[in-house]
Amino acid sequence: MSGRIPQTFIDDLLARTDIVDLIDQRVKLKKAGKNYQACCPFHNEKSPSFTVSPDKQFYHCFGCGASGTVLGFLMEYDGLEFLDAIDELASLHSLEVPREGPGGSAPSSQQQAAAKAQRQDLYAQLGEISRFYQAQLRHSQAAINYLKGRGLSGEVVKRFNIGFVPDQWDSVKRQFAKDSHAEKQLIEGGMLIKADGGRVYDRFRDRIMFPIHDRRGRVIGFGGRVLGDGMPKYLNSPETPIFHKGRELYGLYEVRQTHRNPERVVVVEGYMDVVALAQFNIDYVVASLGTATTPEQLQLLFRTTREVICCYDGDRAGREAAWRALDNALPLLQDGRSLKFVFLPDGEDPDSLVRARGASGFSELLDNAQDFGDFLFERLAHDAMEGDAGQHELANQAAAAISRVPEGFTREGLITQLSRQLNWGENERRVRELFSRLQTSAPTAAPAISSSKKIKLTPIRRAIALVLQYPAVAATLDTQDVQEVAALPLPGIELLRQLLTQVQQQPDLTTAQLLEQWRGDKMANALTRLAMADNLFAGTQIAQELRDIFAVLIEEYLAKRIAMLQQKSQQGSLTAIEKQELMLLLSESKSSHH
């Protein structure tokens, strides 16, 4: 599937998609004049500064500066690469993404297109390997007996596509590395290992295999569990072009297949825990792939549900994992989101506990999970010194943690809870003063782009902004007018010329389509800001205003050129050609003023 994606196809995707509808499915929008608004999903805020324009098919946050087309939103919100966002949008419209040869236009470099093709090939290879593992399981009585011994039914094994890889060094290599290209891809995809001596062999051997799916259901990696007492007990795929442990969650795809909007999602540590709980109809469980739960994983979870419960072992390692998860989650805990913790008894894991207590007993544990605020203060109090010094230390550390929680009822509740923890309930003002001092002394973040901060519009910037915001009108300008202004050696003219050329060659381009053609260019951010400039105060005579700006630019250039040539004339350094140019310019200047 090599080749580039035609720009015309990307334009067609943007034309088919209503950005308001797509964003509203993820972030609830409210009508505000001719646009739509919401609190920004990319930073924490109390009042909405996130605006979606149905006319421009474009979004922009005046608080944090996030902006873009529907493709940009999919990339930012769903965590997709650009080419994967195109695939996602195409699938919504049941379209196949076409590919061009090297001569066609593309939205990205040839290297990006080649990388995309490589990823697609890798998805296909891993999908085939997953089916191979499932077939091997059916022929391995030892593996079947192991799974039965763990209490798993054939139904749940099939649901999670669990498989088995034989105790051989080359079962995958022989089956799938048919040529050097396939072998190289399987090495990059983590399925084969190339030793220093050049020997190539399978990464996974004699293991129960758990395929890891992305949000679209594609196999992106595997986790393997040994049948016996070998080490390591669990072996995961390494980081690859399509698998990033910190961004994925085992079982999330299956949860979403079962629950459109799950009330809560439980995070556990192991693949077998996810599957065992699903066996007991606790089918809203994911695993964090052997890493501490990352900010990216937590973002993903809170886009899926309002309540996340982290279920860890009750030992020191489990509590440390919980503490890291809490630390990563604090900036995400806006109002309406809940984070809780369950710590299991010594020697128990979710798999063993659900078999001992049944689904109702395990669900009772979840219902009585510890709120993150209680865990926060319990941990800080445990680590603090005794006496007044300990109280002061606890107050400072807790206030610093609370300051990372977004403004709102959740933060206010934590402040009140802290005052009670410190026995300052009668004087909550002391806590608030401490909190205010910490916020005042904290290093300030980079200044946000305020909605009241207007872009200073020079004539050239205003012309560019008008072309971006009214491309259909700019497409109607007379070619001669465009050529005259495009020939001026002024800063920004080349950018204006390119934009005018684009809209005149494609008169039906929308703002979003025009901007999408500049993705990856060094001027993309500047164009985005000008596309959202709301201080144009443009009326209905857009074409005439553009022509007027062109006239101003030409006049300014002529005036500067005349002044420069006159200065050289006074110095006696004019060439014969420059003398003729000066006489011609002065003549034209006179005629234009009469």
Side-chain angles (χ1 to χ4, degrees), residues 470 473 537-545:
Y470 304 95
V473 176
F537 305 111
T540 58
Q541 304 298 318
I542 306 300
Q544 184 57 52
E545 182 171 355

Side-chain angles (χ1 to χ4, degrees), residues 53-79:
S53 168
D55 294 337
K56 299 172 186 174
Q57 289 292 297
F58 198 71
Y59 72 89
H60 181 76
C61 176
F62 292 97
C64 68
S67 58
T69 66
V70 66
L71 286 172
F73 185 83
L74 283 175
M75 292 168 66
E76 186 74 17
Y77 192 85
D78 288 3

Side-chain angles (χ1 to χ4, degrees), residues 24 28 45 52 77 131 173 206 243 254 291 296 307 330 400 426 439 462 498 505 518 525 538 566:
D24 190 54
K28 206 61 190 171
E45 60 180 6
V52 183
Y77 192 85
R131 288 186 286 274
K173 180 187 174 186
D206 196 26
F243 178 52
E254 287 79 6
T291 64
E296 292 84 1
E307 181 177 273
L330 287 175
E426 298 299 317
Q439 283 193 301
R462 184 173 181 83
Q498 290 184 50
Q505 289 177 348
W518 286 82
N525 288 338
Q566 286 178 330

Side-chain angles (χ1 to χ4, degrees), residues 176-377:
F176 298 100
K178 301 295 187 183
D179 53 42
S180 60
H181 173 72
E183 181 178 278
K184 181 181 178 183
Q185 279 211 316
L186 289 173
I187 293 171
E188 292 176 346
M191 301 309 297
L192 301 180
I193 295 175
K194 186 172 185 178
D196 291 340
R199 180 191 172 204
V200 176
Y201 57 92
D202 288 7
R203 178 179 298 275
F204 299 100
R205 301 177 302 280
D206 196 26
R207 289 177 181 267
I208 299 294
M209 298 302 292
F210 299 85
I212 303 163
H213 298 91
D214 66 9
R215 280 150 277 177
R216 295 173 59 185
R218 299 174 297 190
V219 178
I220 54 176
F222 292 91
R225 205 265 188 219
V226 292
L227 283 181
D229 298 324
M231 295 299 289
K233 183 178 177 182
Y234 280 99
L235 181 64
N236 296 321
S237 288
E239 295 280 313
T240 73
I242 63 173
F243 178 52
H244 307 282
K245 294 179 186 179
R247 300 183 198 169
E248 305 293 342
L249 290 158
Y250 176 72
L252 183 60
Y253 172 72
E254 287 79 6
V255 169
R256 284 177 160 173
Q257 290 296 104
T258 306
H259 304 281
R260 181 176 177 83
N261 295 298
E263 291 184 10
R264 62 188 180 190
V265 173
V266 178
V267 183
V268 296
E269 295 182 89
Y271 305 102
M272 192 61 78
D273 295 326
V274 173
V275 179
L277 289 169
Q279 174 87 42
F280 283 79
N281 291 322
I282 301 175
D283 51 6
Y284 42 86
V285 184
V286 301
S288 55
L289 301 174
T291 64
T293 309
T294 65
E296 292 84 1
Q297 289 171 334
L298 288 160
Q299 280 275 24
L300 191 55
L301 287 166
F302 281 125
R303 290 171 191 161
T304 304
T305 186
R306 300 171 70 86
E307 181 177 273
V308 175
I309 301 177
C310 293
C311 182
Y312 296 131
D313 293 343
D315 58 13
R316 181 174 179 177
R319 289 185 176 271
E320 285 301 317
W323 186 246
R324 290 194 298 273
L326 174 59
D327 184 58
N328 288 332
L330 287 175
L332 308 176
L333 292 172
Q334 61 196 50
D335 291 345
R337 291 178 174 178
S338 170
L339 177 67
K340 296 181 179 180
F341 295 91
V342 167
F343 296 102
L344 302 178
D346 287 345
E348 298 279 11
D349 57 28
D351 182 7
S352 63
L353 202 62
V354 74
R355 298 188 192 286
R357 300 190 184 183
S360 60
F362 195 87
S363 296
E364 186 178 348
L365 271 180
L366 299 178
D367 293 338
N368 294 313
Q370 184 180 32
D371 184 75
F372 83 93
D374 294 335
F375 175 54
L376 170 69
F377 296 129

